[in-house]
């Protein structure tokens, strides 16, 4: 009996130049855990230490792998501009036909 088919996912992790190796490994593990909890096969982790989002490269990776999911820390970690956020979401959804997941999306803090 064969194993059930798993949907493919790609993780995109922008690297903070100040982050230690242990911090990078912890973030990578967080993405692996997120994918595993949802039953996705993480087929690639794309690290980026340069300024700017390589959106065309990410869309190309999603298409080449046939990945249905793009995991990012949060959209706000990629851009603070609302139009750029919309472009990112639209490129992933419409061009790559994938779903965008915010693995580390910030939560609202409330004070008592």
């Amino acid at each position: 009996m064969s194993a059930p088919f798993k949907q493919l996912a790609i993780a995109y992790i922008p690297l903070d130049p100040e982050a230690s190796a242990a911090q990078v490994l912890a973030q990578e593990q967080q993405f692996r855990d997120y994918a595993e909890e949802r039953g996705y096969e993480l087929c690639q982790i794309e690290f980026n230490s340069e300024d700017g989002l390589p959106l065309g490269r990410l869309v190309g990776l999603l298409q080449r792998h046939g990945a249905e999911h793009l995991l990012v820390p949060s959209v706000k970690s990629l851009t603070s501009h609302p139009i750029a956020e919309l472009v990112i979401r639209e490129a992933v959804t419409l061009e790559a036909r994938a779903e965008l997941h915010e693995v580390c999306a910030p939560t609202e803090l409330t004070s008592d």
Side-chain angles (χ1 to χ4, degrees):
M1 188 165 164
S2 63
F5 171 76
K6 288 188 169 190
Q7 294 181 357
L8 300 178
I10 291 175
Y12 173 73
I13 303 176
L15 294 176
D16 179 348
E18 310 264 324
S20 69
Q23 289 170 317
V24 172
L25 287 173
Q27 189 170 27
E28 181 179 342
Q29 188 59 51
Q30 184 176 14
F31 277 73
R32 289 185 188 285
D33 292 345
Y34 183 95
E36 185 178 327
E37 288 167 5
R38 285 154 183 80
Y40 304 151
E41 180 182 334
L42 194 54
C43 61
Q44 183 164 341
I45 298 177
E46 184 73 14
F47 293 98
N48 184 28
S49 59
E50 300 173 10
D51 287 338
L53 174 68
L55 187 56
R57 187 171 78 216
L58 290 174
V59 167
L61 283 172
L62 288 163
Q63 292 170 331
R64 276 192 299 285
H65 285 286
E68 299 175 66
H69 305 278
L70 176 62
L71 313 181
V72 299
S74 71
V75 176
K76 296 291 184 206
S77 73
L78 306 178
T79 183
S80 60
H81 196 284
I83 293 175
E85 182 177 333
L86 180 62
V87 168
I88 292 166
R89 290 182 186 280
E90 293 295 312
V92 170
T93 303
L94 298 177
E95 191 173 343
R97 304 216 182 279
E99 187 176 335
L100 184 66
H101 296 261
E102 296 180 280
V103 174
C104 313
T107 57
E108 293 290 323
L109 297 178
T110 58
S111 59
D112 293 350

